[in-house]
Amino acid sequence: MRFLVLAHVAWSAIVLIGTAAVIGLEQSTPCPPGGWLGLDCGPGRDLVLALIGLSAVLYVVILSVVLAWATRVARRAGADPNGGRDWYLVAALVGPVIAPLLAFTVLAGFGWLG
């Protein structure tokens, strides 16, 4: 289980640092020709960057919750030791689809969509 925790920390760092780099590259480029992602300077740019950042944070939170749950299940007597790893991999594969949808819902709930 220690390997799974170390892999989780490394993967989370890669996701968050990569997302911060993408957002930083987009913010550092001049507006008229478009940035690294090719976004124009309209109000949609801030929404897309917020969506990208919040999606990455929610993805890491989802993986952390699944890891905590899988760790607790693995500590129980008679639990399948590989079950936690399998659930973590499912969350890691489904998370990139679910996190942006959840982030969009959160941003809509806070009125970012207008």
Side-chain angles (χ1 to χ4, degrees), residues 13-25 49 52-57:
I14 289 170
V15 167
L16 294 175
I17 291 170
T19 302
V22 167
I23 292 172
L25 283 172
L49 295 178
I52 290 170
L54 186 58
S55 295
V57 170

Side-chain angles (χ1 to χ4, degrees), residues 75-96:
R75 287 184 184 152
R76 291 185 190 166
D80 181 17
N82 294 328
R85 182 197 67 214
D86 295 343
W87 278 108
Y88 185 83
L89 290 176
V90 167
L93 293 174
V94 174

Side-chain angles (χ1 to χ4, degrees), residues 61-76:
V61 168
I62 289 168
L63 287 180
S64 299
V65 168
V66 169
L67 180 64
W69 172 76
T71 303
R72 279 193 351 203
V73 169
R75 287 184 184 152
R76 291 185 190 166

Side-chain angles (χ1 to χ4, degrees), residues 31-66:
C31 267
W36 188 73
L37 294 175
L39 300 173
D40 60 358
C41 292
R45 181 180 188 184
D46 293 335
L47 174 66
V48 170
L49 295 178
L51 185 66
I52 290 170
L54 186 58
S55 295
V57 170
L58 289 174
Y59 177 66
V60 170
V61 168
I62 289 168
L63 287 180
S64 299
V65 168
V66 169

